[in-house]
């Protein structure tokens, strides 16, 4: 019998429990094994948990992949085939959460006015790429008031 692909679930809420994860994935089919890291249920100071799931049927594994972006507790889950063939130990598993930690820490260092998704610099216009479209907040207030009195819509 061929082994079923191992599914990894990242961006799991720190408040999620192994029982909740088992209940969520058991709706898709019979579980071979499920493991949630860190195993310490009281460890909520981490930014996210990681879960590994193996199913008894191939179709359940394939269906599980469709749960990506499903909001579970307070997070959008990221579900993918694991690069590991067997469920890894906690240290390896938690290394998958490291990029989320780095992003969360960087985001906390930004000021309120700094964009998290930077826009391309204006010199791109010199390459023949059109500039960014005007935003309503950049339109003069007098023009908005004038157009509003005339019944026009400002675009």
């Amino acid at each position: 019998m061929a082994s079923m692909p191992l599914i990894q679930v990242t961006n799991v809420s720190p408040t999620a429990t192994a029982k909740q994860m088992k209940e969520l994935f058991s709706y898709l089919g019979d579980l071979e094994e499920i493991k949630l890291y860190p195993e310490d249920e009281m460890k909520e100071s981490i930014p996210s948990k990681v879960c590994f799931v193996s199913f008894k049927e191939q179709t359940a594994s394939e269906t599980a992949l469709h749960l990506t972006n499903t909001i579970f507790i307070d997070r959008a889950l990221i579900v993918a085939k694991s690069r590991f063939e067997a469920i890894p130990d906690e240290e390896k598993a938690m290394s998958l959460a490291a990029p989320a930690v780095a992003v969360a820490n960087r985001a906390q260092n930004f000021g309120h006015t700094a964009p998290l998704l930077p826009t391309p610099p204006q010199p791109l216009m010199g390459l023949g790429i059109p500039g960014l479209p005007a935003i309503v907040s950049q339109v003069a207030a007098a023009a908005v008031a004038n157009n509003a009195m005339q019944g026009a819509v400002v675009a």
Side-chain angles (χ1 to χ4, degrees), residues 25 48 54 60 96 146:
F25 285 99
S48 67
S54 61
L96 297 171
N146 185 31

Side-chain angles (χ1 to χ4, degrees), residues 44-123:
E44 293 183 16
S45 61
I46 56 164
S48 67
K49 291 183 177 182
V50 178
C51 184
F52 288 89
V53 184
S54 61
F55 292 94
K56 293 181 180 178
E57 307 92 18
Q58 178 75 29
T59 55
S61 295
E62 293 168 358
T63 304
L65 299 174
H66 294 284
L67 290 180
T68 291
N69 287 329
T70 298
I71 304 297
F72 186 70
I73 301 178
D74 62 351
R75 305 282 177 91
L77 298 177
I78 301 169
V79 184
K81 288 183 183 177
S82 177
R83 63 185 170 128
F84 303 110
E85 291 185 20
I87 294 178
D89 61 27
E90 187 167 342
E91 184 179 345
K92 277 186 185 175
M94 289 307 294
S95 71
L96 297 171
V101 174
V103 171
N105 288 341
R106 282 189 59 210
Q108 291 171 358
N109 293 332
F110 284 130
H112 291 292
T113 58
L116 290 175
L117 297 173
T119 55
Q122 291 299 326

Side-chain angles (χ1 to χ4, degrees), residues 12-25 34-44 49-51 53 72-73 77:
V12 178
S13 175
T15 60
T17 65
K19 182 179 178 183
Q20 290 171 322
M21 298 304 290
K22 183 176 182 178
E23 186 174 338
L24 174 68
F25 285 99
I34 187 164
K35 196 79 160 173
L36 180 64
Y37 295 112
E39 293 182 287
D40 181 3
E41 297 286 345
M42 304 309 286
K43 195 173 188 176
E44 293 183 16
K49 291 183 177 182
V50 178
C51 184
V53 184
F72 186 70
I73 301 178
L77 298 177

